[in-house]
Amino acid sequence: MAKITYIEHGGKEHVVEVANGLTVMEGARDNGIPGIEADCGGACACSTCHVYVDASWVDKLPAKDAMEEDMLDFAFEPDTARSRLTCQLKVTDDLNGLIVNMPEKQI
C-alpha cells in the first residue's frame, strides 16, 4: 500500500491508501476523487488522467515511455517536467507519500 495525496485544482486534498499493483489513476477512480476522468480506462489512449507530479517526486518516478509522451501532447497545459498520466504510474511501496496536483481541467 502507498499513501497518495491527490490535490484538486482548487486546493482540496485527498489522502488515500492505494494497493500495490493498481495505478495512481485507479486509486483516484476507486476513491471517488474528482479531477481524474480516465476516459480510456487506463489504456494510455487519451490524456484525461493527467496530473502535475509534485516537484520533489519527478526524479523518483520511472521515466515516461514514448506512448505517454505522445498522449501528454493532448493534455491541458502540459509541463515537460511534471506532467504525467496517472494510468502509467503503477503503485508500489516506493510511491508512498506521492503528491499529485490536478490540472484546471482534463481535455
Side-chain angles (χ1 to χ4, degrees):
M1 286 278 217
K3 203 171 274 192
I4 299 176
T5 301
Y6 300 84
I7 304 173
E8 293 180 46
H9 181 70
K12 184 175 181 182
E13 292 187 11
H14 304 267
V15 180
V16 297
E17 288 191 349
V18 181
N20 289 349
L22 294 178
T23 63
V24 175
M25 179 274 293
E26 291 169 320
R29 180 199 64 202
D30 294 352
N31 288 283
I33 296 170
I36 294 179
E37 296 172 13
D39 288 344
C40 75
C44 199
C46 72
S47 64
T48 61
C49 68
H50 169 235
V51 296
Y52 303 110
V53 173
D54 186 81
S56 66
W57 278 90
V58 170
D59 294 330
K60 297 176 186 176
L61 298 175
K64 299 173 211 167
D65 66 17
M67 183 180 283
E68 182 178 2
E69 289 276 5
D70 288 346
M71 286 297 108
L72 282 168
D73 288 341
F74 300 102
F76 179 74
E77 296 183 351
D79 177 291
T80 54
R82 296 180 51 224
S83 286
R84 294 300 301 259
L85 297 180
T86 54
C87 69
Q88 298 302 295
L89 298 173
K90 277 272 195 226
V91 174
T92 66
D93 290 339
D94 293 339
L95 291 191
N96 190 47
L98 176 66
I99 301 167
V100 297
N101 296 272
M102 265 66 105
E104 182 179 350
K105 61 183 177 179
Q106 299 285 356
I107 55 174

